[in-house]
Amino acid sequence: MLVSSPATLAGPLKDAAKKDSDGFKTQGKNLGLIRHLCNETGHFNLCVAAVEADPRSNLKSHRKGILRIVMDKTISNATAILEYIDHLLADNTIKMENTTRDSLEGCSSGYDQSIYDLKHALSLLELKNVSQYFELRSMLSSMFGTPFECDQSFTERPIPAPNPLTGINNCIEDLAVTCLVILNVIYPKHPKKSTRV
């Protein structure tokens, strides 16, 4: 479903992130695990809101399941942003400067690639070997960098271009870093790559 504005897109998770820690409904033993993992992220309320909103209770009982939920939420929000960008680019009734259009095209390309990579990364959650860990970490890092690079494409110009995505890129950054932190909590001693000569 296409969102009508950036505020509509980011609103539900941003509103949930404003709740105090007692405002969540997760019950039972899963609550402790969810709160523990989310507390590590630096985005506690956003993390808890993302996990709680997911109907798959079977995933809430283990750390990889919680990571899966937050990755899925990252993908769905990034997809909504991509649809919004593509809507802006396709709508001939919206007047925008060429520099804004160029930046939006770059953002569209960046989000498209990051979403593709992150969907592939879902298959790596079992982490059967060290290379899968590093591949998953790399794909999550790429998604984390996409909103920043998108924002930079508007500001890193001789004359900055108007940015219609102000504010919504932050939500994706926060979700992606939440995924990275949860991955690091699951695997606190990061596997070392073999460095044979």
Side-chain angles (χ1 to χ4, degrees):
M1 183 170 120
L2 187 61
V3 294
S4 58
S5 72
T8 303
L9 173 68
L13 278 180
K14 284 187 173 185
D15 291 343
K18 292 177 186 173
K19 289 182 181 179
D20 72 41
S21 60
D22 296 325
F24 298 103
K25 299 175 187 169
T26 304
Q27 301 295 320
K29 63 183 178 181
N30 296 343
L31 178 62
L33 177 61
I34 294 165
R35 287 180 184 267
H36 168 73
L37 282 177
C38 290
N39 192 50
E40 299 290 322
T41 67
H43 300 286
F44 177 82
N45 292 334
L46 178 68
C47 177
V48 172
V51 174
E52 185 168 292
D54 195 284
R56 298 171 292 179
S57 59
N58 62 317
L59 293 178
K60 297 176 186 181
S61 63
H62 55 94
R63 297 179 300 177
K64 286 182 185 176
I66 293 170
L67 176 57
R68 169 67 189 248
I69 289 170
V70 180
M71 286 176 67
D72 285 342
K73 184 61 74 176
T74 304
I75 291 168
S76 66
N77 277 265
T79 300
I81 290 173
L82 178 60
E83 290 171 356
Y84 180 72
I85 292 168
D86 291 345
H87 167 74
L88 290 175
L89 289 169
D91 189 344
N92 293 329
T93 64
I94 299 173
K95 291 187 178 191
M96 67 176 79
E97 297 177 18
N98 286 338
T99 54
T100 299
R101 181 170 295 282
D102 289 345
S103 292
L104 285 172
E105 288 171 353
C107 293
S108 177
S109 176
Y111 271 110
D112 190 49
Q113 184 62 51
S114 291
I115 291 164
Y116 175 83
D117 289 345
L118 204 54
K119 285 179 178 177
H120 169 70
L122 292 172
S123 68
L124 302 173
L125 279 174
E126 290 305 311
L127 297 173
K128 296 182 193 272
N129 58 53
V130 174
S131 66
Q132 285 184 336
Y133 167 83
F134 284 104
E135 188 177 356
L136 176 57
R137 184 166 174 73
S138 174
M139 290 176 181
L140 288 170
S141 295
S142 176
M143 179 57 82
F144 172 70
T146 296
F148 176 77
E149 291 169 7
C150 177
D151 284 339
Q152 290 292 95
S153 73
F154 291 95
T155 59
E156 297 280 318
R157 297 177 170 275
I159 299 173
N163 183 352
L165 306 176
T166 301
I168 61 172
N169 277 329
N170 294 343
C171 184
I172 298 301
E173 281 182 358
D174 294 348
L175 284 166
V177 78
T178 296
C179 291
L180 282 165
V181 171
I182 292 172
L183 178 64
N184 290 336
V185 169
I186 295 171
Y187 298 96
K189 296 185 182 211
H190 310 293
K192 303 287 188 224
K193 280 190 178 177
S194 174
T195 54
R196 294 183 198 169
V197 178

PDB file of all heavy atoms in Angstrom, residues 84-105:
ATOM      1  N   TYR A  84       7.199   5.119  -1.805  1.00  0.00           N
ATOM      2  CA  TYR A  84       6.929   6.556  -1.696  1.00  0.00           C
ATOM      3  C   TYR A  84       7.847   7.350  -2.632  1.00  0.00           C
ATOM      4  O   TYR A  84       7.394   8.251  -3.339  1.00  0.00           O
ATOM      5  CB  TYR A  84       7.112   7.011  -0.242  1.00  0.00           C
ATOM      6  CG  TYR A  84       6.851   8.482  -0.052  1.00  0.00           C
ATOM      7  CD1 TYR A  84       5.551   8.990  -0.121  1.00  0.00           C
ATOM      8  CD2 TYR A  84       7.889   9.365   0.191  1.00  0.00           C
ATOM      9  CE1 TYR A  84       5.306  10.340   0.039  1.00  0.00           C
ATOM     10  CE2 TYR A  84       7.649  10.719   0.356  1.00  0.00           C
ATOM     11  CZ  TYR A  84       6.357  11.202   0.282  1.00  0.00           C
ATOM     12  OH  TYR A  84       6.124  12.541   0.441  1.00  0.00           O
ATOM     13  N   ILE A  85       9.132   6.980  -2.660  1.00  0.00           N
ATOM     14  CA  ILE A  85      10.080   7.659  -3.559  1.00  0.00           C
ATOM     15  C   ILE A  85       9.642   7.463  -5.007  1.00  0.00           C
ATOM     16  O   ILE A  85       9.601   8.427  -5.794  1.00  0.00           O
ATOM     17  CB  ILE A  85      11.513   7.114  -3.350  1.00  0.00           C
ATOM     18  CG1 ILE A  85      12.046   7.510  -1.976  1.00  0.00           C
ATOM     19  CG2 ILE A  85      12.444   7.622  -4.453  1.00  0.00           C
ATOM     20  CD1 ILE A  85      13.329   6.776  -1.589  1.00  0.00           C
ATOM     21  N   ASP A  86       9.331   6.245  -5.372  1.00  0.00           N
ATOM     22  CA  ASP A  86       8.918   5.956  -6.748  1.00  0.00           C
ATOM     23  C   ASP A  86       7.620   6.694  -7.100  1.00  0.00           C
ATOM     24  O   ASP A  86       7.453   7.143  -8.244  1.00  0.00           O
ATOM     25  CB  ASP A  86       8.781   4.450  -6.967  1.00  0.00           C
ATOM     26  CG  ASP A  86      10.136   3.741  -6.939  1.00  0.00           C
ATOM     27  OD1 ASP A  86      11.183   4.424  -7.038  1.00  0.00           O
ATOM     28  OD2 ASP A  86      10.149   2.500  -6.804  1.00  0.00           O
ATOM     29  N   HIS A  87       6.728   6.832  -6.129  1.00  0.00           N
ATOM     30  CA  HIS A  87       5.500   7.611  -6.340  1.00  0.00           C
ATOM     31  C   HIS A  87       5.849   9.079  -6.617  1.00  0.00           C
ATOM     32  O   HIS A  87       5.290   9.686  -7.545  1.00  0.00           O
ATOM     33  CB  HIS A  87       4.592   7.502  -5.117  1.00  0.00           C
ATOM     34  CG  HIS A  87       3.475   8.497  -5.105  1.00  0.00           C
ATOM     35  ND1 HIS A  87       2.374   8.389  -5.931  1.00  0.00           N
ATOM     36  CD2 HIS A  87       3.306   9.633  -4.383  1.00  0.00           C
ATOM     37  CE1 HIS A  87       1.565   9.418  -5.712  1.00  0.00           C
ATOM     38  NE2 HIS A  87       2.104  10.177  -4.780  1.00  0.00           N
ATOM     39  N   LEU A  88       6.764   9.635  -5.834  1.00  0.00           N
ATOM     40  CA  LEU A  88       7.169  11.024  -6.058  1.00  0.00           C
ATOM     41  C   LEU A  88       7.775  11.201  -7.451  1.00  0.00           C
ATOM     42  O   LEU A  88       7.499  12.190  -8.142  1.00  0.00           O
ATOM     43  CB  LEU A  88       8.185  11.473  -5.001  1.00  0.00           C
ATOM     44  CG  LEU A  88       7.680  11.646  -3.579  1.00  0.00           C
ATOM     45  CD1 LEU A  88       8.848  11.976  -2.641  1.00  0.00           C
ATOM     46  CD2 LEU A  88       6.623  12.748  -3.501  1.00  0.00           C
ATOM     47  N   LEU A  89       8.601  10.243  -7.850  1.00  0.00           N
ATOM     48  CA  LEU A  89       9.254  10.339  -9.159  1.00  0.00           C
ATOM     49  C   LEU A  89       8.262  10.175 -10.312  1.00  0.00           C
ATOM     50  O   LEU A  89       8.435  10.787 -11.366  1.00  0.00           O
ATOM     51  CB  LEU A  89      10.364   9.288  -9.276  1.00  0.00           C
ATOM     52  CG  LEU A  89      11.596   9.540  -8.419  1.00  0.00           C
ATOM     53  CD1 LEU A  89      12.498   8.317  -8.400  1.00  0.00           C
ATOM     54  CD2 LEU A  89      12.353  10.771  -8.912  1.00  0.00           C
ATOM     55  N   ALA A  90       7.234   9.388 -10.123  1.00  0.00           N
ATOM     56  CA  ALA A  90       6.266   9.122 -11.192  1.00  0.00           C
ATOM     57  C   ALA A  90       5.164  10.173 -11.282  1.00  0.00           C
ATOM     58  O   ALA A  90       4.525  10.306 -12.332  1.00  0.00           O
ATOM     59  CB  ALA A  90       5.635   7.751 -10.983  1.00  0.00           C
ATOM     60  N   ASP A  91       4.954  10.909 -10.222  1.00  0.00           N
ATOM     61  CA  ASP A  91       3.851  11.880 -10.186  1.00  0.00           C
ATOM     62  C   ASP A  91       4.251  13.157 -10.914  1.00  0.00           C
ATOM     63  O   ASP A  91       5.049  13.951 -10.418  1.00  0.00           O
ATOM     64  CB  ASP A  91       3.474  12.189  -8.732  1.00  0.00           C
ATOM     65  CG  ASP A  91       2.200  13.003  -8.630  1.00  0.00           C
ATOM     66  OD1 ASP A  91       1.765  13.595  -9.645  1.00  0.00           O
ATOM     67  OD2 ASP A  91       1.640  13.053  -7.519  1.00  0.00           O
ATOM     68  N   ASN A  92       3.692  13.348 -12.094  1.00  0.00           N
ATOM     69  CA  ASN A  92       4.029  14.521 -12.903  1.00  0.00           C
ATOM     70  C   ASN A  92       3.403  15.810 -12.384  1.00  0.00           C
ATOM     71  O   ASN A  92       3.741  16.895 -12.851  1.00  0.00           O
ATOM     72  CB  ASN A  92       3.591  14.292 -14.357  1.00  0.00           C
ATOM     73  CG  ASN A  92       4.395  13.204 -15.017  1.00  0.00           C
ATOM     74  OD1 ASN A  92       5.567  13.005 -14.692  1.00  0.00           O
ATOM     75  ND2 ASN A  92       3.782  12.486 -15.928  1.00  0.00           N
ATOM     76  N   THR A  93       2.488  15.687 -11.439  1.00  0.00           N
ATOM     77  CA  THR A  93       1.857  16.900 -10.893  1.00  0.00           C
ATOM     78  C   THR A  93       2.709  17.535  -9.802  1.00  0.00           C
ATOM     79  O   THR A  93       2.465  18.675  -9.422  1.00  0.00           O
ATOM     80  CB  THR A  93       0.465  16.578 -10.309  1.00  0.00           C
ATOM     81  OG1 THR A  93       0.608  15.680  -9.208  1.00  0.00           O
ATOM     82  CG2 THR A  93      -0.438  15.979 -11.382  1.00  0.00           C
ATOM     83  N   ILE A  94       3.709  16.800  -9.310  1.00  0.00           N
ATOM     84  CA  ILE A  94       4.591  17.344  -8.270  1.00  0.00           C
ATOM     85  C   ILE A  94       5.731  18.077  -8.951  1.00  0.00           C
ATOM     86  O   ILE A  94       6.475  17.498  -9.738  1.00  0.00           O
ATOM     87  CB  ILE A  94       5.144  16.227  -7.367  1.00  0.00           C
ATOM     88  CG1 ILE A  94       4.007  15.497  -6.655  1.00  0.00           C
ATOM     89  CG2 ILE A  94       6.132  16.786  -6.355  1.00  0.00           C
ATOM     90  CD1 ILE A  94       4.458  14.283  -5.868  1.00  0.00           C
ATOM     91  N   LYS A  95       5.854  19.357  -8.639  1.00  0.00           N
ATOM     92  CA  LYS A  95       6.966  20.133  -9.185  1.00  0.00           C
ATOM     93  C   LYS A  95       8.161  19.968  -8.252  1.00  0.00           C
ATOM     94  O   LYS A  95       8.040  20.138  -7.046  1.00  0.00           O
ATOM     95  CB  LYS A  95       6.596  21.606  -9.297  1.00  0.00           C
ATOM     96  CG  LYS A  95       5.559  21.865 -10.353  1.00  0.00           C
ATOM     97  CD  LYS A  95       5.352  23.334 -10.558  1.00  0.00           C
ATOM     98  CE  LYS A  95       4.326  23.536 -11.658  1.00  0.00           C
ATOM     99  NZ  LYS A  95       4.249  24.919 -12.086  1.00  0.00           N
ATOM    100  N   MET A  96       9.298  19.601  -8.842  1.00  0.00           N
ATOM    101  CA  MET A  96      10.518  19.497  -8.043  1.00  0.00           C
ATOM    102  C   MET A  96      11.705  19.881  -8.893  1.00  0.00           C
ATOM    103  O   MET A  96      11.683  19.763 -10.119  1.00  0.00           O
ATOM    104  CB  MET A  96      10.685  18.099  -7.451  1.00  0.00           C
ATOM    105  CG  MET A  96      10.948  16.993  -8.439  1.00  0.00           C
ATOM    106  SD  MET A  96      11.247  15.395  -7.653  1.00  0.00           S
ATOM    107  CE  MET A  96       9.593  14.898  -7.260  1.00  0.00           C
ATOM    108  N   GLU A  97      12.735  20.343  -8.203  1.00  0.00           N
ATOM    109  CA  GLU A  97      13.960  20.723  -8.891  1.00  0.00           C
ATOM    110  C   GLU A  97      14.641  19.473  -9.449  1.00  0.00           C
ATOM    111  O   GLU A  97      14.469  18.370  -8.920  1.00  0.00           O
ATOM    112  CB  GLU A  97      14.895  21.429  -7.910  1.00  0.00           C
ATOM    113  CG  GLU A  97      14.327  22.721  -7.357  1.00  0.00           C
ATOM    114  CD  GLU A  97      15.239  23.355  -6.327  1.00  0.00           C
ATOM    115  OE1 GLU A  97      16.437  23.003  -6.281  1.00  0.00           O
ATOM    116  OE2 GLU A  97      14.742  24.210  -5.577  1.00  0.00           O
ATOM    117  N   ASN A  98      15.433  19.677 -10.514  1.00  0.00           N
ATOM    118  CA  ASN A  98      16.160  18.549 -11.101  1.00  0.00           C
ATOM    119  C   ASN A  98      17.103  17.903 -10.097  1.00  0.00           C
ATOM    120  O   ASN A  98      17.294  16.688 -10.114  1.00  0.00           O
ATOM    121  CB  ASN A  98      16.923  18.987 -12.345  1.00  0.00           C
ATOM    122  CG  ASN A  98      15.999  19.217 -13.530  1.00  0.00           C
ATOM    123  OD1 ASN A  98      14.893  18.689 -13.568  1.00  0.00           O
ATOM    124  ND2 ASN A  98      16.453  20.016 -14.481  1.00  0.00           N
ATOM    125  N   THR A  99      17.705  18.720  -9.214  1.00  0.00           N
ATOM    126  CA  THR A  99      18.623  18.158  -8.219  1.00  0.00           C
ATOM    127  C   THR A  99      17.878  17.257  -7.237  1.00  0.00           C
ATOM    128  O   THR A  99      18.402  16.227  -6.818  1.00  0.00           O
ATOM    129  CB  THR A  99      19.354  19.280  -7.455  1.00  0.00           C
ATOM    130  OG1 THR A  99      18.387  20.189  -6.909  1.00  0.00           O
ATOM    131  CG2 THR A  99      20.308  20.035  -8.364  1.00  0.00           C
ATOM    132  N   THR A 100      16.662  17.637  -6.894  1.00  0.00           N
ATOM    133  CA  THR A 100      15.850  16.793  -6.004  1.00  0.00           C
ATOM    134  C   THR A 100      15.496  15.494  -6.707  1.00  0.00           C
ATOM    135  O   THR A 100      15.596  14.407  -6.130  1.00  0.00           O
ATOM    136  CB  THR A 100      14.578  17.534  -5.558  1.00  0.00           C
ATOM    137  OG1 THR A 100      14.948  18.714  -4.838  1.00  0.00           O
ATOM    138  CG2 THR A 100      13.696  16.662  -4.693  1.00  0.00           C
ATOM    139  N   ARG A 101      15.111  15.595  -7.968  1.00  0.00           N
ATOM    140  CA  ARG A 101      14.784  14.395  -8.748  1.00  0.00           C
ATOM    141  C   ARG A 101      16.003  13.478  -8.846  1.00  0.00           C
ATOM    142  O   ARG A 101      15.901  12.259  -8.657  1.00  0.00           O
ATOM    143  CB  ARG A 101      14.286  14.782 -10.137  1.00  0.00           C
ATOM    144  CG  ARG A 101      13.895  13.592 -10.998  1.00  0.00           C
ATOM    145  CD  ARG A 101      13.178  14.007 -12.272  1.00  0.00           C
ATOM    146  NE  ARG A 101      11.903  14.637 -12.005  1.00  0.00           N
ATOM    147  CZ  ARG A 101      10.788  13.980 -11.683  1.00  0.00           C
ATOM    148  NH1 ARG A 101      10.810  12.670 -11.585  1.00  0.00           N
ATOM    149  NH2 ARG A 101       9.665  14.623 -11.478  1.00  0.00           N
ATOM    150  N   ASP A 102      17.176  14.036  -9.135  1.00  0.00           N
ATOM    151  CA  ASP A 102      18.402  13.229  -9.217  1.00  0.00           C
ATOM    152  C   ASP A 102      18.685  12.521  -7.896  1.00  0.00           C
ATOM    153  O   ASP A 102      19.032  11.336  -7.870  1.00  0.00           O
ATOM    154  CB  ASP A 102      19.608  14.104  -9.581  1.00  0.00           C
ATOM    155  CG  ASP A 102      19.576  14.598 -11.015  1.00  0.00           C
ATOM    156  OD1 ASP A 102      18.796  14.059 -11.827  1.00  0.00           O
ATOM    157  OD2 ASP A 102      20.339  15.540 -11.321  1.00  0.00           O
ATOM    158  N   SER A 103      18.526  13.235  -6.793  1.00  0.00           N
ATOM    159  CA  SER A 103      18.770  12.635  -5.480  1.00  0.00           C
ATOM    160  C   SER A 103      17.759  11.535  -5.192  1.00  0.00           C
ATOM    161  O   SER A 103      18.110  10.475  -4.673  1.00  0.00           O
ATOM    162  CB  SER A 103      18.716  13.704  -4.386  1.00  0.00           C
ATOM    163  OG  SER A 103      19.806  14.584  -4.516  1.00  0.00           O
ATOM    164  N   LEU A 104      16.493  11.778  -5.528  1.00  0.00           N
ATOM    165  CA  LEU A 104      15.467  10.748  -5.314  1.00  0.00           C
ATOM    166  C   LEU A 104      15.757   9.492  -6.137  1.00  0.00           C
ATOM    167  O   LEU A 104      15.543   8.367  -5.661  1.00  0.00           O
ATOM    168  CB  LEU A 104      14.080  11.289  -5.651  1.00  0.00           C
ATOM    169  CG  LEU A 104      13.459  12.235  -4.632  1.00  0.00           C
ATOM    170  CD1 LEU A 104      12.184  12.856  -5.185  1.00  0.00           C
ATOM    171  CD2 LEU A 104      13.185  11.517  -3.321  1.00  0.00           C
ATOM    172  N   GLU A 105      16.237   9.670  -7.365  1.00  0.00           N
ATOM    173  CA  GLU A 105      16.587   8.511  -8.188  1.00  0.00           C
ATOM    174  C   GLU A 105      17.719   7.712  -7.542  1.00  0.00           C
ATOM    175  O   GLU A 105      17.695   6.480  -7.527  1.00  0.00           O
ATOM    176  CB  GLU A 105      16.949   8.946  -9.606  1.00  0.00           C
ATOM    177  CG  GLU A 105      15.723   9.390 -10.390  1.00  0.00           C
ATOM    178  CD  GLU A 105      16.045  10.035 -11.732  1.00  0.00           C
ATOM    179  OE1 GLU A 105      17.238  10.267 -12.035  1.00  0.00           O
ATOM    180  OE2 GLU A 105      15.085  10.324 -12.477  1.00  0.00           O
TER     181      GLU A 105
END
